[in-house]
Amino acid sequence: MKTSKLLLSLGAGLLASGALYAALRPQPAPLPTVSSVDLARYAGTWHEIASFPQRFQRGCQCTTAQYTLKEGYVEVRNTCRKNGKRTGITGKAFAVEGSHNAKLKVQFFWPLRGDYWILGLASDYSHALVGTPDRKSLWILARATTLPAPIYRQLVQQAQQLGFDTALLQKTDQSCKEEQ
């Protein structure tokens, strides 16, 4: 009987400690996005210049995202060359109400939706910085397969200032572009 009370007390103490830690641990600052996005201008092909590595992208080269406006959502077609073959997945992106299209919820597998926040966007829509509010995903995208070094450095610096661990950023091999 004493053992069960001890285990129960220990379990309750651990639960309370965990709740206290979760409540008191430092939370990242709110992540600002661009003020608004014209989805008609954002539509089209984007090349991944760099990103935080994702399990599902292991071995990918020449990664692209194709955005197509549909009625009520944006169709998202992500593709890459893996093991010499083109592979991809199609999903849907939905604008978050009140975000002026700067925050999207992307869905590749129903009912799961992930955050896609546009954190930086060139005025001519030639490059973008995209991430998630937990700062675990980050992408640098461009309309071309390359990005001038000063612009790339500026985007990396912006991501760092927003609290992203830019040491995790890996450049994407876009050298097979001419084979597509």
Side-chain angles (χ1 to χ4, degrees), residues 48-53 57 138-140 168-172:
E48 182 184 275
I49 302 302
S51 69
F52 283 180
Q57 280 189 291
L138 180 69
W139 297 271
I140 294 176
L168 300 174
L169 204 54
Q170 291 184 3
K171 287 193 173 182
T172 303

Side-chain angles (χ1 to χ4, degrees), residues 102-168:
K103 296 179 182 178
L104 302 172
K105 287 288 191 177
V106 180
Q107 179 179 61
F108 289 101
F109 302 102
W110 184 87
L112 305 175
R113 290 186 181 185
D115 291 310
Y116 180 99
W117 290 16
I118 302 169
L119 311 173
L121 183 61
S123 59
D124 63 357
Y125 285 62
S126 61
H127 58 270
L129 180 68
V130 177
T132 56
D134 63 5
R135 294 166 173 81
K136 292 184 179 180
S137 296
L138 180 69
W139 297 271
I140 294 176
L141 307 174
R143 296 296 186 171
T145 57
T146 60
L147 197 57
I151 293 173
Y152 178 79
R153 283 193 301 271
Q154 175 190 3
L155 293 170
V156 171
Q157 183 178 21
Q158 180 184 357
Q160 194 170 33
Q161 289 170 345
L162 291 171
F164 287 89
D165 181 0
T166 56
L168 300 174

Side-chain angles (χ1 to χ4, degrees), residues 5 35 40 91 117:
K5 284 184 180 181
S35 58
W117 290 16

